[in-house]
Amino acid sequence: MTPDKNVIAAELERSRARTALLTDAVDDDDLVQQHSPLMSPLVWDLAHVGNQEELWLVRDVGGREPVRQDIDHLYDAFKHARRDRPALPLLDPAEARRYIAQVRDKALDVLDRVRLDERPLVAGGFAFGMIVQHEQQHDETMLATHQLRAGEPVLTAAPPPPGDRRVRGEALIPGGPFTMGTDTDPWALDNERPAHVVDLPAFLIDVAPVTNAGYAAFIDAGGYDDPRWWSAKGWAHRQEAGLTAPLHWFPDGGAWLYRRFGRVSPLIPDEPVVHVCFHEAEAYAKWAGKRLPTEAEWEKAARWDPETGRSRRYPWGDDPPGPQHANLGQRHLAPAPVGAYPAGASPLGVHQLIGDVWEWTSTDWHGYPGFRVFPYAEYSEVFFGGDYKVLRGGSFGTDAAACRGTFRNWDHPVRRQIFSGFRCVRELA
Ligand code: AVJ
Ligand code: FE
């Protein structure tokens, strides 16, 4: 299943089309503005994806001369915090667009000439896949910036498919070993490797993510005012940040309104809740008499096939995600209501593990046993052991190229500008 050069070129093109859509939607003033201190100006993301492509595909894989070595430091995410990026002498929008187009031409030429079995870095097209995923990840980050942006709506998409209220309750995941992670997925990143066996006791997992209605019940029950449900750290954060509801919710009489990509509307009860931090998810779970899944529990629910005992790429099998399986790729600019993807359910009846909302787990960000940096420590290793929780499954903003049953995301437990939700688990009585 090594992707051939035409597939790789098409994937590069698809990520660039998404980048263009997100950055052509607003004017140049808007591109250089900072919409939140948590985010870069969009024009930074724009040139940064090109700079990473230059570093890895043009210079490293291609062995070519630098295009713009002078700007490397501006687009090195470790050199300047997001809040400081607007003050940098960044390329302006026209320069950034020219730069990334120039890099892309060279990268495609490198792709044309390279032998994909030459070095580990390019085996199976890995370096190209890494760059495709990197751009798609920044496209999701840019979508989160759009969600924080004030002003008139500029993005549109078809609404997600309808839900099905019969999809409710919990599924039993039997105890026993399963294979977590992968050795064989050609574009899997270093943190998804190596494959290793994990033995878990049986558990019950929610068949769907927690909905807006479910989360509103926690608020109505006084959940934000009762320290019993919160960890000490979570309660301290709730107090300090003055949390009273998910980000982008605001009260309207006895109901809730929600602001999404510049449009305000009543909350849709059956939609998965989104824009909650880890601490809010954890508090809800405790209030509900449950807990958050560990990362291993989440992956077993998503990949383990009870028929064969094998771990698959997705809950529905090994077929690539189609529109019938999961809400991915910014096809819809909202999570889909619970039950919208029966074809995407796991054999044990767990729905919407992939797409819709990233799901918080209780696991701290770490390397698997036998982890080896590949190809650079700054992607994931430097964050191991930090104040980060693992998120799984991807959101409506995540592209299929950057989402699979093994894919691991992480963020600080207080972050909620990302498209984050959750589901709960429970031990057997
Ligand atoms: C995997 C989403 C945590 O955006 O910080 C992008 C992805 N790494 N450029 C991030 C990433 C370098 C990363 N996350
Ligand atoms: Fe990056």
Side-chain angles (χ1 to χ4, degrees), residues 48 82 134 137-138 141 376 378-379 407-410:
H48 167 79
R82 284 181 176 179
H134 180 257
Q137 287 174 326
H138 277 274
T141 299
Y376 68 114
E378 290 74 17
Y379 179 75
F407 190 90
R408 308 174 73 202
N409 192 6
W410 69 93

Side-chain angles (χ1 to χ4, degrees), residues 262-319:
R263 295 180 189 87
V264 174
S265 55
L267 214 55
I268 299 176
D270 295 341
E271 234 175 54
V273 65
V274 61
H275 298 300
V276 290
C277 71
F278 169 83
H279 297 304
E280 290 169 302
E282 193 185 40
Y284 174 98
K286 189 152 187 204
W287 169 77
K290 303 185 182 187
R291 60 173 174 79
L292 294 178
T294 63
E295 179 181 22
E297 286 169 337
W298 189 96
E299 187 167 323
K300 185 172 180 183
R303 298 184 61 210
W304 184 66
D305 176 6
E307 192 112 337
T308 61
R310 209 171 62 78
S311 289
R312 310 186 302 183
R313 202 162 190 244
Y314 305 102
W316 57 86
D318 293 312
D319 291 344

Side-chain angles (χ1 to χ4, degrees), residues 1-14:
M1 62 169 284
T2 293
D4 71 22
K5 288 186 177 183
N6 292 325
V7 171
I8 293 169
E11 287 294 284
L12 285 166
E13 174 46 38
R14 221 164 48 71

Side-chain angles (χ1 to χ4, degrees), residues 42-282:
L42 291 169
V43 77
W44 186 90
D45 292 274
L46 185 62
H48 167 79
V49 299
N51 186 243
Q52 285 290 114
E53 185 166 322
E54 179 186 350
L55 290 174
W56 287 101
L57 300 186
V58 178
R59 293 189 215 166
D60 195 323
V61 174
R64 310 276 174 97
E65 286 303 302
V67 183
R68 289 291 303 263
Q69 200 155 32
D70 59 311
I71 61 171
D72 286 354
H73 72 104
L74 298 172
Y75 298 102
D76 179 339
F78 289 86
K79 291 234 163 82
H80 312 281
R82 284 181 176 179
R83 63 163 58 247
D84 303 327
R85 290 174 191 167
L88 299 172
L90 301 175
L91 299 187
D92 70 31
E95 289 166 342
R97 290 185 174 110
R98 262 199 311 276
Y99 170 60
I100 66 170
Q102 212 183 344
V103 170
R104 176 55 56 88
D105 278 350
K106 291 182 192 284
L108 289 174
D109 190 54
V110 169
L111 175 61
D112 227 23
R113 292 159 195 265
V114 76
R115 283 193 41 185
L116 291 182
D117 56 359
E118 222 165 49
R119 317 157 42 188
L121 184 60
V122 287
F126 176 81
F128 296 90
M130 179 178 84
I131 289 303
V132 165
Q133 294 180 72
H134 180 257
E135 184 157 349
Q136 292 287 7
Q137 287 174 326
H138 277 274
D139 289 346
E140 178 163 0
T141 299
M142 288 196 273
L143 189 67
T145 305
H146 271 275
Q147 169 65 354
L148 290 163
R149 188 185 153 266
E152 290 303 300
V154 294
L155 299 176
T156 49
D164 180 348
R165 293 218 164 149
R166 291 170 302 180
V167 175
R168 56 189 302 148
E170 297 162 314
L172 172 67
I173 311 297
F178 87 107
T179 300
M180 185 170 186
T182 176
D183 296 325
T184 53
D185 208 308
W187 288 6
L189 303 172
D190 57 1
N191 65 58
E192 297 164 75
R193 304 164 188 264
H196 56 289
V197 173
V198 178
D199 200 351
L200 294 176
F203 63 96
L204 293 163
I205 187 165
D206 293 352
V207 299
V210 171
T211 63
N212 286 331
Y215 199 82
F218 167 67
I219 301 177
D220 291 344
Y224 276 84
D225 299 316
D226 194 334
R228 267 186 306 165
W229 312 133
W230 301 70
S231 68
K233 221 177 125 193
W235 184 251
H237 176 66
R238 177 258 169 264
Q239 296 293 78
E240 193 203 310
L243 303 183
T244 54
L247 185 61
H248 305 302
W249 285 32
F250 39 95
D252 175 47
W256 289 102
L257 294 178
Y258 178 82
R259 186 164 186 278
R260 176 175 281 151
F261 302 119
R263 295 180 189 87
V264 174
S265 55
L267 214 55
I268 299 176
D270 295 341
E271 234 175 54
V273 65
V274 61
H275 298 300
V276 290
C277 71
F278 169 83
H279 297 304
E280 290 169 302
E282 193 185 40

